[in-house]
Amino acid sequence: MKYAITDKCVGCYACQLVCPSQAVYADPDVNGRFHIHSRRCTGCEDHYDAPQCASICPIEEAIVNEMNLPVNPQGSLTGIISPGAAL
Ligand code: SF4
Ligand code: SF4
């Protein structure tokens, strides 16, 4: 497992379009949810310096790495951190 999509995903399709490994797929049962096929995801290591899905994803905390940490944590895209968020 390299990267995974969380329930913060809004189903914009962007990551599916840029993944070089065709690892992103739409949830067949839940409209607007996407997942990453753990065996297909290479972490983009053979193609790019950064995971392309997380680079294009517009939603904070929608994609996590293999340590389950968000690649785009809260505030990283918007500059806004909610008062109750753990730092
Ligand atoms: S890290 Fe790269 S290979 Fe893995 S799902 Fe994201 S874009 Fe695809
Ligand atoms: S780019 Fe982000 S919000 Fe859009 S489908 Fe992928 S994980 Fe979901």
Coordinates of all heavy atoms in Angstrom, one line a residue:
M1 N 0.8 -1.2 0.0 CA 0.0 0.0 0.0 C 0.9 1.2 0.0 O 1.8 1.3 0.7 CB -0.9 0.0 1.2 CG -1.8 1.2 1.4 SD -1.1 2.4 2.5 CE -2.5 3.5 2.7
K2 N 0.6 2.2 -0.9 CA 1.3 3.4 -0.9 C 0.4 4.6 -0.4 O 0.6 5.0 0.7 CB 1.8 3.7 -2.3 CG 2.8 2.7 -2.8 CD 4.2 3.0 -2.2 CE 5.2 2.1 -2.8 NZ 6.5 2.3 -2.3
Y3 N -0.5 4.9 -1.3 CA -1.4 6.0 -0.9 C -2.9 5.5 -0.9 O -3.2 4.5 -1.5 CB -1.3 7.2 -1.9 CG 0.1 7.8 -1.8 CD1 1.2 7.3 -2.5 CD2 0.3 8.9 -1.0 CE1 2.4 7.9 -2.3 CE2 1.5 9.5 -0.9 CZ 2.6 9.0 -1.5 OH 3.8 9.5 -1.4
A4 N -3.7 6.3 -0.2 CA -5.1 5.9 -0.1 C -6.0 7.1 -0.1 O -5.5 8.2 0.3 CB -5.4 5.0 1.2
I5 N -7.2 7.0 -0.4 CA -8.2 8.1 -0.5 C -9.1 7.9 0.7 O -9.6 6.9 1.0 CB -9.0 8.1 -1.8 CG1 -8.0 8.4 -2.9 CG2 -10.1 9.1 -1.8 CD1 -8.6 8.3 -4.3
T6 N -9.3 9.1 1.4 CA -10.2 9.0 2.6 C -11.6 9.5 2.3 O -11.9 9.8 1.1 CB -9.6 10.0 3.7 OG1 -9.9 11.4 3.2 CG2 -8.1 9.8 3.9
D7 N -12.4 9.5 3.3 CA -13.8 9.9 3.1 C -14.0 11.4 2.9 O -15.1 11.9 2.7 CB -14.7 9.4 4.2 CG -14.4 9.9 5.6 OD1 -13.5 10.8 5.6 OD2 -15.0 9.5 6.5
K8 N -12.9 12.1 2.9 CA -12.9 13.6 2.6 C -13.1 13.8 1.1 O -13.4 14.9 0.6 CB -11.7 14.3 3.1 CG -11.5 14.3 4.6 CD -12.3 15.3 5.2 CE -12.2 15.2 6.8 NZ -11.0 15.9 7.2
C9 N -12.8 12.8 0.3 CA -12.9 12.9 -1.2 C -14.3 13.3 -1.6 O -15.3 12.9 -1.1 CB -12.6 11.5 -1.8 SG -12.9 11.3 -3.5
V10 N -14.2 14.3 -2.6 CA -15.5 14.8 -3.1 C -15.8 14.2 -4.5 O -16.8 14.7 -5.1 CB -15.5 16.3 -3.1 CG1 -15.4 16.8 -1.7 CG2 -14.4 16.9 -4.0
G11 N -15.0 13.3 -5.0 CA -15.3 12.7 -6.3 C -15.1 13.6 -7.5 O -15.9 13.5 -8.4
C12 N -14.0 14.4 -7.5 CA -13.9 15.3 -8.6 C -13.2 14.7 -9.8 O -13.1 15.3 -10.9 CB -13.1 16.5 -8.2 SG -11.3 16.1 -7.9
Y13 N -12.7 13.5 -9.7 CA -12.1 12.7 -10.8 C -10.6 13.1 -11.1 O -10.0 12.5 -11.9 CB -12.9 12.8 -12.1 CG -14.1 12.0 -12.2 CD1 -15.3 12.6 -11.7 CD2 -14.2 10.8 -12.8 CE1 -16.5 11.8 -11.8 CE2 -15.3 10.0 -12.8 CZ -16.5 10.6 -12.4 OH -17.7 9.9 -12.4
A14 N -10.2 14.2 -10.6 CA -8.9 14.7 -11.0 C -7.7 13.7 -10.8 O -6.9 13.5 -11.7 CB -8.5 16.0 -10.2
C15 N -7.7 13.0 -9.7 CA -6.6 12.1 -9.4 C -6.7 10.9 -10.4 O -5.6 10.4 -10.8 CB -6.6 11.6 -8.0 SG -8.2 10.9 -7.5
Q16 N -7.9 10.5 -10.8 CA -8.0 9.4 -11.7 C -7.4 9.7 -13.0 O -6.7 8.9 -13.7 CB -9.5 9.0 -11.9 CG -9.6 7.7 -12.6 CD -11.1 7.3 -12.7 OE1 -12.0 8.1 -12.9 NE2 -11.4 6.0 -12.5
L17 N -7.5 11.0 -13.4 CA -7.0 11.4 -14.7 C -5.5 11.5 -14.8 O -4.9 11.3 -15.8 CB -7.6 12.8 -15.1 CG -9.1 12.8 -15.3 CD1 -9.6 14.3 -15.5 CD2 -9.6 11.9 -16.4
V18 N -4.9 11.8 -13.7 CA -3.4 12.0 -13.7 C -2.6 10.8 -13.2 O -1.4 10.8 -13.4 CB -3.0 13.2 -12.9 CG1 -3.6 14.5 -13.4 CG2 -3.3 13.0 -11.4
C19 N -3.2 9.8 -12.7 CA -2.5 8.7 -12.1 C -1.8 7.9 -13.3 O -2.5 7.4 -14.2 CB -3.4 7.7 -11.4 SG -2.5 6.2 -10.8
P20 N -0.5 7.7 -13.3 CA 0.2 7.1 -14.3 C 0.1 5.5 -14.3 O 0.5 4.8 -15.2 CB 1.7 7.5 -14.1 CG 1.8 7.7 -12.6 CD 0.4 8.3 -12.2
S21 N -0.5 5.0 -13.2 CA -0.6 3.6 -13.0 C -2.0 3.1 -13.1 O -2.3 1.9 -12.8 CB 0.0 3.2 -11.7 OG 1.3 3.7 -11.6
Q22 N -3.0 3.9 -13.4 CA -4.4 3.6 -13.5 C -4.8 2.9 -12.2 O -5.5 1.9 -12.1 CB -4.7 2.6 -14.7 CG -4.6 3.3 -16.0 CD -3.2 3.5 -16.5 OE1 -2.5 2.5 -16.5 NE2 -2.9 4.7 -17.0
A23 N -4.3 3.5 -11.1 CA -4.6 2.9 -9.8 C -5.8 3.4 -9.1 O -6.3 2.9 -8.1 CB -3.4 3.1 -8.9
V24 N -6.4 4.5 -9.6 CA -7.5 5.2 -9.0 C -8.8 4.7 -9.6 O -8.9 4.6 -10.9 CB -7.4 6.7 -9.1 CG1 -8.7 7.3 -8.4 CG2 -6.2 7.2 -8.5
Y25 N -9.8 4.3 -8.8 CA -11.0 3.8 -9.4 C -12.2 4.3 -8.6 O -12.1 4.6 -7.4 CB -11.1 2.3 -9.5 CG -11.0 1.6 -8.1 CD1 -12.2 1.2 -7.5 CD2 -9.8 1.4 -7.5 CE1 -12.1 0.5 -6.3 CE2 -9.7 0.7 -6.3 CZ -10.9 0.3 -5.7 OH -10.8 -0.3 -4.4
A26 N -13.3 4.5 -9.3 CA -14.5 4.9 -8.6 C -15.2 3.8 -7.8 O -15.2 2.6 -8.3 CB -15.5 5.5 -9.7
D27 N -15.7 4.1 -6.7 CA -16.4 3.1 -5.9 C -17.6 2.7 -6.6 O -18.5 3.5 -7.0 CB -16.7 3.8 -4.5 CG -17.2 2.7 -3.5 OD1 -18.1 1.9 -3.9 OD2 -16.8 2.8 -2.4
P28 N -17.8 1.4 -6.9 CA -18.9 0.9 -7.6 C -20.2 1.0 -6.8 O -21.3 1.0 -7.4 CB -18.6 -0.5 -7.9 CG -17.6 -1.0 -6.8 CD -16.9 0.3 -6.5
D29 N -20.1 1.2 -5.5 CA -21.3 1.2 -4.7 C -21.7 2.6 -4.1 O -22.8 2.8 -3.8 CB -21.2 0.2 -3.5 CG -21.0 -1.2 -4.0 OD1 -21.7 -1.6 -5.0 OD2 -20.1 -1.9 -3.5
V30 N -20.7 3.5 -4.0 CA -20.9 4.8 -3.4 C -20.6 5.8 -4.4 O -19.4 6.0 -4.8 CB -20.0 5.0 -2.1 CG1 -20.4 6.3 -1.5 CG2 -20.3 3.8 -1.2
N31 N -21.6 6.6 -4.9 CA -21.4 7.6 -5.9 C -20.5 8.7 -5.3 O -20.7 9.2 -4.2 CB -22.8 8.2 -6.2 CG -22.8 8.9 -7.5 OD1 -21.9 8.6 -8.4 ND2 -23.7 9.8 -7.7
G32 N -19.5 9.1 -6.1 CA -18.7 10.2 -5.7 C -17.5 9.8 -4.8 O -16.9 10.7 -4.3
R33 N -17.3 8.5 -4.6 CA -16.2 8.1 -3.8 C -15.2 7.4 -4.7 O -15.5 6.6 -5.6 CB -16.6 7.2 -2.7 CG -17.2 7.8 -1.4 CD -16.2 8.7 -0.7 NE -14.9 8.1 -0.5 CZ -14.6 7.3 0.6 NH1 -15.5 7.0 1.4 NH2 -13.4 6.9 0.7
F34 N -13.9 7.7 -4.4 CA -12.8 7.0 -5.2 C -11.9 6.3 -4.2 O -11.8 6.6 -3.1 CB -12.1 8.1 -6.0 CG -12.8 8.6 -7.2 CD1 -13.9 9.4 -7.1 CD2 -12.4 8.1 -8.5 CE1 -14.6 9.8 -8.2 CE2 -13.1 8.6 -9.6 CZ -14.2 9.4 -9.5
H35 N -11.2 5.3 -4.8 CA -10.2 4.6 -4.0 C -9.0 4.4 -4.8 O -9.0 4.6 -6.1 CB -10.8 3.2 -3.7 CG -12.1 3.2 -2.9 ND1 -12.2 3.6 -1.6 CD2 -13.4 3.0 -3.3 CE1 -13.4 3.6 -1.2 NE2 -14.2 3.2 -2.3
I36 N -7.9 4.0 -4.2 CA -6.7 3.7 -4.8 C -6.4 2.2 -4.7 O -6.4 1.7 -3.5 CB -5.5 4.5 -4.2 CG1 -5.7 6.0 -4.6 CG2 -4.2 4.0 -4.7 CD1 -4.7 6.9 -3.9
H37 N -6.2 1.5 -5.8 CA -5.9 0.1 -5.8 C -4.4 -0.1 -5.2 O -3.5 0.4 -5.8 CB -5.9 -0.4 -7.2 CG -5.9 -1.9 -7.3 ND1 -4.9 -2.7 -6.9 CD2 -6.9 -2.8 -7.7 CE1 -5.2 -4.0 -7.1 NE2 -6.4 -4.0 -7.5
S38 N -4.4 -0.7 -4.0 CA -3.1 -0.8 -3.3 C -2.0 -1.5 -4.1 O -0.8 -1.1 -3.9 CB -3.3 -1.4 -1.9 OG -3.8 -2.8 -2.1
R39 N -2.3 -2.4 -4.9 CA -1.3 -3.2 -5.6 C -0.9 -2.4 -6.8 O 0.2 -2.7 -7.4 CB -1.7 -4.6 -5.9 CG -1.5 -5.5 -4.7 CD -1.9 -6.9 -5.0 NE -3.3 -7.1 -5.0 CZ -4.0 -8.1 -5.4 NH1 -3.3 -9.2 -5.7 NH2 -5.3 -8.2 -5.4
R40 N -1.7 -1.6 -7.4 CA -1.3 -0.9 -8.6 C -0.6 0.4 -8.2 O 0.2 0.9 -9.1 CB -2.6 -0.5 -9.4 CG -3.1 -1.6 -10.2 CD -4.1 -1.1 -11.2 NE -4.7 -2.2 -12.0 CZ -5.6 -2.0 -12.9 NH1 -6.1 -0.8 -13.1 NH2 -6.0 -3.0 -13.6
C41 N -0.8 1.0 -7.1 CA -0.2 2.3 -6.8 C 1.3 2.1 -6.5 O 1.7 1.3 -5.7 CB -0.8 2.9 -5.5 SG 0.0 4.4 -4.9
T42 N 2.1 2.8 -7.3 CA 3.5 2.8 -7.2 C 4.1 3.9 -6.3 O 5.3 4.0 -6.2 CB 4.2 2.8 -8.5 OG1 3.8 4.1 -9.1 CG2 3.7 1.7 -9.4
G43 N 3.2 4.8 -5.9 CA 3.6 6.0 -5.3 C 4.2 7.0 -6.3 O 4.8 8.0 -5.9
C44 N 4.0 6.7 -7.5 CA 4.5 7.5 -8.6 C 6.1 7.5 -8.7 O 6.6 8.3 -9.4 CB 4.0 8.9 -8.6 SG 2.3 9.2 -9.0
E45 N 6.7 6.6 -7.9 CA 8.1 6.7 -7.8 C 8.9 6.5 -9.1 O 10.0 7.0 -9.3 CB 8.6 5.6 -6.8 CG 8.2 6.0 -5.4 CD 8.4 4.9 -4.4 OE1 8.8 3.8 -4.8 OE2 8.0 5.1 -3.2
D46 N 8.3 5.7 -10.0 CA 9.0 5.5 -11.3 C 8.7 6.6 -12.3 O 9.4 6.6 -13.4 CB 8.5 4.2 -12.0 CG 8.8 3.0 -11.1 OD1 9.8 3.1 -10.3 OD2 8.2 1.9 -11.3
H47 N 7.8 7.5 -12.0 CA 7.4 8.5 -13.0 C 7.7 10.0 -12.5 O 8.1 10.8 -13.3 CB 5.9 8.4 -13.3 CG 5.5 7.0 -13.8 ND1 5.6 6.7 -15.1 CD2 5.1 5.9 -13.1 CE1 5.2 5.5 -15.3 NE2 4.9 5.0 -14.1
Y48 N 7.4 10.2 -11.2 CA 7.5 11.6 -10.8 C 8.1 11.7 -9.4 O 8.2 10.7 -8.7 CB 6.0 12.2 -10.7 CG 5.3 12.2 -12.0 CD1 4.4 11.2 -12.3 CD2 5.5 13.2 -12.9 CE1 3.7 11.2 -13.5 CE2 4.8 13.2 -14.1 CZ 3.9 12.1 -14.4 OH 3.2 12.1 -15.6
D49 N 8.5 12.9 -9.0 CA 9.1 13.2 -7.7 C 8.0 13.2 -6.6 O 8.3 13.0 -5.4 CB 9.8 14.5 -7.7 CG 11.1 14.4 -8.5 OD1 11.6 13.3 -8.8 OD2 11.6 15.5 -9.0
A50 N 6.7 13.5 -7.0 CA 5.7 13.6 -6.0 C 4.5 12.8 -6.5 O 4.3 12.6 -7.7 CB 5.3 15.1 -5.9
P51 N 3.7 12.3 -5.6 CA 2.4 11.6 -6.0 C 1.5 12.5 -6.7 O 1.1 13.5 -6.2 CB 1.9 11.1 -4.6 CG 2.4 12.0 -3.6 CD 3.8 12.4 -4.1
Q52 N 1.2 12.2 -7.9 CA 0.4 13.0 -8.8 C -1.0 13.2 -8.3 O -1.6 14.3 -8.4 CB 0.4 12.5 -10.2 CG 1.8 12.5 -10.8 CD 2.4 13.9 -10.9 OE1 2.0 14.8 -11.7 NE2 3.4 14.2 -10.0
C53 N -1.6 12.2 -7.7 CA -2.9 12.3 -7.2 C -3.0 13.3 -6.1 O -3.9 14.2 -6.1 CB -3.4 10.9 -6.6 SG -2.3 10.2 -5.4
A54 N -2.1 13.3 -5.2 CA -2.1 14.3 -4.1 C -1.7 15.7 -4.6 O -2.2 16.7 -4.1 CB -1.2 13.9 -3.0
S55 N -0.9 15.7 -5.6 CA -0.5 17.0 -6.2 C -1.7 17.8 -6.8 O -1.7 19.0 -6.7 CB 0.6 16.9 -7.2 OG 1.8 16.4 -6.6
I56 N -2.6 17.0 -7.4 CA -3.7 17.7 -8.1 C -4.9 17.8 -7.2 O -5.8 18.6 -7.5 CB -4.0 17.0 -9.4 CG1 -4.8 17.9 -10.3 CG2 -4.8 15.7 -9.2 CD1 -4.9 17.4 -11.8
C57 N -5.0 17.0 -6.2 CA -6.2 16.9 -5.3 C -6.5 18.3 -4.7 O -5.6 18.8 -4.0 CB -6.1 15.8 -4.3 SG -7.6 15.7 -3.2
P58 N -7.7 18.8 -4.9 CA -8.0 20.1 -4.3 C -8.5 20.1 -2.9 O -8.8 21.1 -2.3 CB -9.1 20.6 -5.2 CG -9.9 19.4 -5.6 CD -8.8 18.3 -5.7
I59 N -8.6 18.9 -2.3 CA -9.3 18.7 -1.0 C -8.2 18.3 0.1 O -7.5 17.3 -0.1 CB -10.4 17.7 -1.0 CG1 -11.4 18.1 -2.1 CG2 -11.1 17.6 0.3 CD1 -12.1 19.4 -1.9
E60 N -8.1 19.1 1.1 CA -7.2 18.7 2.2 C -7.6 17.4 2.9 O -8.8 17.2 3.1 CB -7.1 19.8 3.2 CG -6.5 21.1 2.6 CD -6.7 22.3 3.5 OE1 -7.5 22.3 4.5 OE2 -6.1 23.4 3.2
E61 N -6.7 16.6 3.2 CA -6.9 15.3 4.0 C -7.6 14.3 3.2 O -8.1 13.3 3.7 CB -7.6 15.6 5.3 CG -6.8 16.6 6.2 CD -7.5 16.8 7.5 OE1 -8.7 16.8 7.6 OE2 -6.8 17.0 8.5
A62 N -7.7 14.4 1.9 CA -8.4 13.4 1.1 C -7.5 12.3 0.7 O -8.0 11.2 0.3 CB -9.0 14.1 -0.2
I63 N -6.2 12.5 0.7 CA -5.2 11.4 0.3 C -4.2 11.3 1.4 O -3.6 12.3 1.8 CB -4.6 11.8 -1.1 CG1 -5.6 11.8 -2.2 CG2 -3.5 10.7 -1.4 CD1 -5.1 12.1 -3.5
V64 N -4.0 10.1 1.8 CA -3.0 9.8 2.9 C -1.9 8.9 2.4 O -2.1 8.2 1.4 CB -3.7 9.2 4.1 CG1 -4.7 10.1 4.8 CG2 -4.4 7.9 3.7
N65 N -0.8 9.0 3.0 CA 0.4 8.2 2.6 C 0.3 6.9 3.4 O -0.6 6.6 4.1 CB 1.7 8.9 2.8 CG 1.9 9.3 4.3 OD1 1.3 8.7 5.2 ND2 2.8 10.2 4.5
E66 N 1.4 6.1 3.2 CA 1.4 4.7 3.8 C 1.4 4.8 5.4 O 1.2 3.7 6.0 CB 2.5 3.9 3.3 CG 3.9 4.5 3.3 CD 4.8 3.8 2.3 OE1 4.7 2.6 2.1 OE2 5.7 4.5 1.8
M67 N 1.7 5.9 5.9 CA 1.7 6.1 7.4 C 0.3 6.7 7.8 O 0.2 7.1 9.0 CB 2.8 6.9 7.8 CG 4.2 6.3 7.6 SD 5.6 7.4 7.9 CE 5.4 7.6 9.7
N68 N -0.6 6.7 6.9 CA -1.9 7.2 7.1 C -1.9 8.7 7.5 O -2.8 9.2 8.2 CB -2.6 6.4 8.2 CG -4.2 6.5 8.1 OD1 -4.7 6.6 7.0 ND2 -4.9 6.5 9.2
L69 N -0.9 9.4 7.0 CA -0.8 10.9 7.2 C -1.3 11.6 6.0 O -0.9 11.2 4.9 CB 0.6 11.3 7.6 CG 1.1 10.7 8.9 CD1 2.6 11.0 9.0 CD2 0.3 11.2 10.1
P70 N -2.1 12.6 6.1 CA -2.6 13.3 4.9 C -1.4 14.0 4.2 O -0.5 14.6 4.8 CB -3.5 14.4 5.5 CG -3.3 14.5 6.9 CD -2.6 13.2 7.3
V71 N -1.4 13.8 2.9 CA -0.3 14.4 2.0 C -0.6 15.9 2.0 O 0.4 16.7 2.0 CB -0.3 13.8 0.6 CG1 0.8 14.4 -0.2 CG2 -0.2 12.3 0.7
N72 N -1.8 16.3 1.9 CA -2.2 17.7 2.0 C -3.0 18.0 3.3 O -4.2 17.9 3.3 CB -3.1 18.1 0.8 CG -2.4 17.9 -0.5 OD1 -1.3 18.3 -0.7 ND2 -3.1 17.3 -1.5
P73 N -2.3 18.2 4.4 CA -2.9 18.3 5.7 C -3.8 19.6 5.8 O -3.7 20.5 4.9 CB -1.8 18.4 6.7 CG -0.6 18.7 5.9 CD -0.8 18.3 4.5
Q74 N -4.6 19.7 6.8 CA -5.5 20.8 7.0 C -4.7 22.1 6.9 O -3.6 22.2 7.6 CB -6.3 20.7 8.3 CG -7.3 21.8 8.4 CD -8.1 21.6 9.7 OE1 -8.2 22.5 10.5 NE2 -8.8 20.4 9.8
G75 N -5.1 23.1 6.2 CA -4.4 24.3 6.1 C -3.4 24.4 5.0 O -3.0 25.5 4.6
S76 N -3.0 23.3 4.4 CA -1.9 23.3 3.4 C -2.4 23.9 2.1 O -1.5 24.4 1.3 CB -1.4 21.9 3.2 OG -2.4 21.0 2.7
L77 N -3.6 23.8 1.8 CA -4.1 24.3 0.5 C -4.9 25.6 0.7 O -4.8 26.5 -0.1 CB -5.0 23.3 -0.2 CG -4.4 21.9 -0.5 CD1 -5.4 21.0 -1.1 CD2 -3.2 22.1 -1.4
T78 N -5.6 25.7 1.8 CA -6.4 26.9 2.0 C -5.8 27.9 3.0 O -6.2 29.1 3.0 CB -7.8 26.5 2.7 OG1 -7.5 25.8 3.9 CG2 -8.5 25.5 1.8
G79 N -4.9 27.5 3.8 CA -4.3 28.3 4.8 C -5.2 28.5 6.0 O -4.9 29.2 6.9
I80 N -6.3 27.7 6.0 CA -7.2 27.8 7.1 C -7.1 26.5 8.0 O -7.2 25.4 7.5 CB -8.7 27.9 6.5 CG1 -8.8 29.2 5.7 CG2 -9.7 27.9 7.7 CD1 -10.1 29.3 4.9
I81 N -6.9 26.7 9.3 CA -6.9 25.6 10.2 C -8.0 25.9 11.2 O -8.1 26.9 11.8 CB -5.6 25.5 10.9 CG1 -4.5 25.2 9.9 CG2 -5.6 24.4 12.0 CD1 -3.1 25.2 10.4
S82 N -8.9 24.9 11.4 CA -10.0 25.1 12.3 C -9.5 25.1 13.7 O -8.5 24.5 14.1 CB -11.1 24.0 12.1 OG -10.5 22.7 12.6
P83 N -10.2 25.9 14.6 CA -9.7 26.1 16.0 C -9.5 24.8 16.8 O -8.6 24.7 17.6 CB -10.8 26.9 16.6 CG -11.4 27.6 15.5 CD -11.4 26.7 14.3
G84 N -10.3 23.8 16.5 CA -10.2 22.5 17.2 C -9.2 21.5 16.7 O -9.0 20.5 17.2
A85 N -8.5 21.9 15.6 CA -7.6 20.9 14.9 C -6.4 20.7 15.7 O -5.8 21.6 16.3 CB -7.3 21.4 13.5
A86 N -6.0 19.4 15.8 CA -4.7 19.1 16.4 C -3.6 19.5 15.5 O -3.6 19.3 14.3 CB -4.6 17.6 16.7
L87 N -2.5 20.1 16.0 CA -1.4 20.6 15.2 C -0.3 19.6 15.2 O -0.2 18.8 16.1 CB -0.9 21.9 15.7 CG -1.9 23.1 15.5 CD1 -1.4 24.3 16.1 CD2 -2.3 23.3 14.1
Ligands
SF4_1 S1 0.6 7.9 -5.8 FE1 0.8 7.9 -8.1 S2 0.5 5.7 -8.7 FE2 -0.4 6.0 -6.6 S3 -2.5 6.4 -6.9 FE3 -1.4 8.4 -6.7 S4 -1.0 9.0 -8.8 FE4 -1.5 6.8 -8.8
SF4_2 S1 -8.6 14.5 -6.6 FE1 -9.1 14.3 -4.4 S2 -11.2 15.0 -4.2 FE2 -10.8 14.5 -6.4 S3 -11.4 12.4 -6.7 FE3 -9.3 12.4 -6.2 S4 -9.1 12.1 -3.9 FE4 -11.2 12.7 -4.5

